[in-house]
PDB file of all heavy atoms in Angstrom:
ATOM      1  N   GLY A 966     -30.273 -44.565  19.410  1.00 90.00           N
ATOM      2  CA  GLY A 966     -30.331 -46.021  19.458  1.00 90.00           C
ATOM      3  C   GLY A 966     -29.427 -46.650  18.420  1.00 90.00           C
ATOM      4  O   GLY A 966     -28.726 -47.639  18.689  1.00 90.00           O
ATOM      5  N   THR A 967     -29.441 -46.075  17.225  1.00 92.00           N
ATOM      6  CA  THR A 967     -28.585 -46.587  16.154  1.00 92.00           C
ATOM      7  C   THR A 967     -27.109 -46.450  16.516  1.00 92.00           C
ATOM      8  O   THR A 967     -26.293 -47.330  16.212  1.00 92.00           O
ATOM      9  CB  THR A 967     -28.884 -45.833  14.843  1.00 92.00           C
ATOM     10  OG1 THR A 967     -30.273 -46.005  14.504  1.00 92.00           O
ATOM     11  CG2 THR A 967     -28.036 -46.363  13.698  1.00 92.00           C
ATOM     12  N   LEU A 968     -26.768 -45.367  17.194  1.00 93.00           N
ATOM     13  CA  LEU A 968     -25.376 -45.125  17.574  1.00 93.00           C
ATOM     14  C   LEU A 968     -24.892 -46.070  18.677  1.00 93.00           C
ATOM     15  O   LEU A 968     -23.743 -46.503  18.675  1.00 93.00           O
ATOM     16  CB  LEU A 968     -25.210 -43.674  18.046  1.00 93.00           C
ATOM     17  CG  LEU A 968     -25.352 -42.579  16.984  1.00 93.00           C
ATOM     18  CD1 LEU A 968     -25.290 -41.204  17.639  1.00 93.00           C
ATOM     19  CD2 LEU A 968     -24.251 -42.705  15.941  1.00 93.00           C
ATOM     20  N   PHE A 969     -25.792 -46.412  19.603  1.00 94.00           N
ATOM     21  CA  PHE A 969     -25.379 -47.147  20.793  1.00 94.00           C
ATOM     22  C   PHE A 969     -25.744 -48.629  20.779  1.00 94.00           C
ATOM     23  O   PHE A 969     -25.447 -49.342  21.728  1.00 94.00           O
ATOM     24  CB  PHE A 969     -25.988 -46.503  22.047  1.00 94.00           C
ATOM     25  CG  PHE A 969     -25.371 -45.179  22.399  1.00 94.00           C
ATOM     26  CD1 PHE A 969     -26.088 -44.010  22.212  1.00 94.00           C
ATOM     27  CD2 PHE A 969     -24.091 -45.107  22.906  1.00 94.00           C
ATOM     28  CE1 PHE A 969     -25.532 -42.781  22.529  1.00 94.00           C
ATOM     29  CE2 PHE A 969     -23.518 -43.881  23.236  1.00 94.00           C
ATOM     30  CZ  PHE A 969     -24.237 -42.705  23.043  1.00 94.00           C
ATOM     31  N   LEU A 970     -26.372 -49.110  19.720  1.00 95.00           N
ATOM     32  CA  LEU A 970     -26.755 -50.525  19.663  1.00 95.00           C
ATOM     33  C   LEU A 970     -25.544 -51.396  19.367  1.00 95.00           C
ATOM     34  O   LEU A 970     -24.744 -51.096  18.477  1.00 95.00           O
ATOM     35  CB  LEU A 970     -27.825 -50.732  18.596  1.00 95.00           C
ATOM     36  CG  LEU A 970     -28.563 -52.077  18.595  1.00 95.00           C
ATOM     37  CD1 LEU A 970     -29.320 -52.292  19.902  1.00 95.00           C
ATOM     38  CD2 LEU A 970     -29.531 -52.148  17.418  1.00 95.00           C
ATOM     39  N   SER A 971     -25.405 -52.491  20.110  1.00 96.00           N
ATOM     40  CA  SER A 971     -24.256 -53.382  19.971  1.00 96.00           C
ATOM     41  C   SER A 971     -24.574 -54.557  19.059  1.00 96.00           C
ATOM     42  O   SER A 971     -25.391 -55.415  19.393  1.00 96.00           O
ATOM     43  CB  SER A 971     -23.822 -53.898  21.354  1.00 96.00           C
ATOM     44  OG  SER A 971     -22.883 -54.941  21.228  1.00 96.00           O
ATOM     45  N   ASN A 972     -23.934 -54.611  17.924  1.00 96.00           N
ATOM     46  CA  ASN A 972     -24.106 -55.752  17.023  1.00 96.00           C
ATOM     47  C   ASN A 972     -23.566 -57.035  17.640  1.00 96.00           C
ATOM     48  O   ASN A 972     -24.089 -58.127  17.402  1.00 96.00           O
ATOM     49  CB  ASN A 972     -23.394 -55.487  15.695  1.00 96.00           C
ATOM     50  CG  ASN A 972     -24.137 -54.489  14.831  1.00 96.00           C
ATOM     51  OD1 ASN A 972     -25.353 -54.343  14.954  1.00 96.00           O
ATOM     52  ND2 ASN A 972     -23.415 -53.789  13.993  1.00 96.00           N
ATOM     53  N   LYS A 973     -22.541 -56.907  18.445  1.00 96.00           N
ATOM     54  CA  LYS A 973     -21.939 -58.076  19.087  1.00 96.00           C
ATOM     55  C   LYS A 973     -22.938 -58.747  20.023  1.00 96.00           C
ATOM     56  O   LYS A 973     -23.082 -59.982  20.032  1.00 96.00           O
ATOM     57  CB  LYS A 973     -20.684 -57.669  19.850  1.00 96.00           C
ATOM     58  CG  LYS A 973     -19.964 -58.830  20.521  1.00 96.00           C
ATOM     59  CD  LYS A 973     -18.704 -58.359  21.234  1.00 96.00           C
ATOM     60  CE  LYS A 973     -18.002 -59.538  21.910  1.00 96.00           C
ATOM     61  NZ  LYS A 973     -16.764 -59.101  22.624  1.00 96.00           N
ATOM     62  N   LYS A 974     -23.653 -57.948  20.807  1.00 96.00           N
ATOM     63  CA  LYS A 974     -24.637 -58.497  21.743  1.00 96.00           C
ATOM     64  C   LYS A 974     -25.808 -59.125  20.997  1.00 96.00           C
ATOM     65  O   LYS A 974     -26.325 -60.171  21.389  1.00 96.00           O
ATOM     66  CB  LYS A 974     -25.128 -57.413  22.695  1.00 96.00           C
ATOM     67  CG  LYS A 974     -24.086 -56.961  23.703  1.00 96.00           C
ATOM     68  CD  LYS A 974     -24.657 -55.911  24.655  1.00 96.00           C
ATOM     69  CE  LYS A 974     -23.614 -55.480  25.684  1.00 96.00           C
ATOM     70  NZ  LYS A 974     -24.155 -54.472  26.625  1.00 96.00           N
ATOM     71  N   LEU A 975     -26.248 -58.475  19.910  1.00 96.00           N
ATOM     72  CA  LEU A 975     -27.336 -59.036  19.099  1.00 96.00           C
ATOM     73  C   LEU A 975     -26.899 -60.347  18.465  1.00 96.00           C
ATOM     74  O   LEU A 975     -27.677 -61.309  18.391  1.00 96.00           O
ATOM     75  CB  LEU A 975     -27.753 -58.043  18.012  1.00 96.00           C
ATOM     76  CG  LEU A 975     -28.653 -56.880  18.440  1.00 96.00           C
ATOM     77  CD1 LEU A 975     -28.801 -55.886  17.296  1.00 96.00           C
ATOM     78  CD2 LEU A 975     -30.023 -57.383  18.885  1.00 96.00           C
ATOM     79  N   ASP A 976     -25.667 -60.388  18.007  1.00 96.00           N
ATOM     80  CA  ASP A 976     -25.130 -61.596  17.383  1.00 96.00           C
ATOM     81  C   ASP A 976     -25.148 -62.770  18.367  1.00 96.00           C
ATOM     82  O   ASP A 976     -25.508 -63.890  18.009  1.00 96.00           O
ATOM     83  CB  ASP A 976     -23.703 -61.338  16.901  1.00 96.00           C
ATOM     84  CG  ASP A 976     -23.166 -62.481  16.062  1.00 96.00           C
ATOM     85  OD1 ASP A 976     -23.525 -62.552  14.879  1.00 96.00           O
ATOM     86  OD2 ASP A 976     -22.404 -63.305  16.601  1.00 96.00           O
ATOM     87  N   ILE A 977     -24.792 -62.510  19.611  1.00 96.00           N
ATOM     88  CA  ILE A 977     -24.811 -63.548  20.639  1.00 96.00           C
ATOM     89  C   ILE A 977     -26.248 -63.998  20.917  1.00 96.00           C
ATOM     90  O   ILE A 977     -26.520 -65.188  21.101  1.00 96.00           O
ATOM     91  CB  ILE A 977     -24.151 -63.034  21.937  1.00 96.00           C
ATOM     92  CG1 ILE A 977     -22.654 -62.802  21.702  1.00 96.00           C
ATOM     93  CG2 ILE A 977     -24.365 -64.018  23.085  1.00 96.00           C
ATOM     94  CD1 ILE A 977     -21.949 -62.105  22.851  1.00 96.00           C
ATOM     95  N   PHE A 978     -27.189 -63.044  20.931  1.00 97.00           N
ATOM     96  CA  PHE A 978     -28.595 -63.369  21.196  1.00 97.00           C
ATOM     97  C   PHE A 978     -29.140 -64.350  20.167  1.00 97.00           C
ATOM     98  O   PHE A 978     -29.871 -65.284  20.504  1.00 97.00           O
ATOM     99  CB  PHE A 978     -29.439 -62.099  21.206  1.00 97.00           C
ATOM    100  CG  PHE A 978     -30.925 -62.339  21.335  1.00 97.00           C
ATOM    101  CD1 PHE A 978     -31.489 -62.638  22.559  1.00 97.00           C
ATOM    102  CD2 PHE A 978     -31.762 -62.277  20.222  1.00 97.00           C
ATOM    103  CE1 PHE A 978     -32.845 -62.864  22.698  1.00 97.00           C
ATOM    104  CE2 PHE A 978     -33.126 -62.502  20.345  1.00 97.00           C
ATOM    105  CZ  PHE A 978     -33.666 -62.799  21.581  1.00 97.00           C
TER     106      PHE A 978
END
Side-chain angles (χ1 to χ4, degrees):
T967 301
L968 291 175
F969 288 108
L970 193 61
S971 169
N972 286 334
K973 182 179 180 180
K974 290 182 179 181
L975 281 172
D976 189 79
I977 293 171
F978 174 78

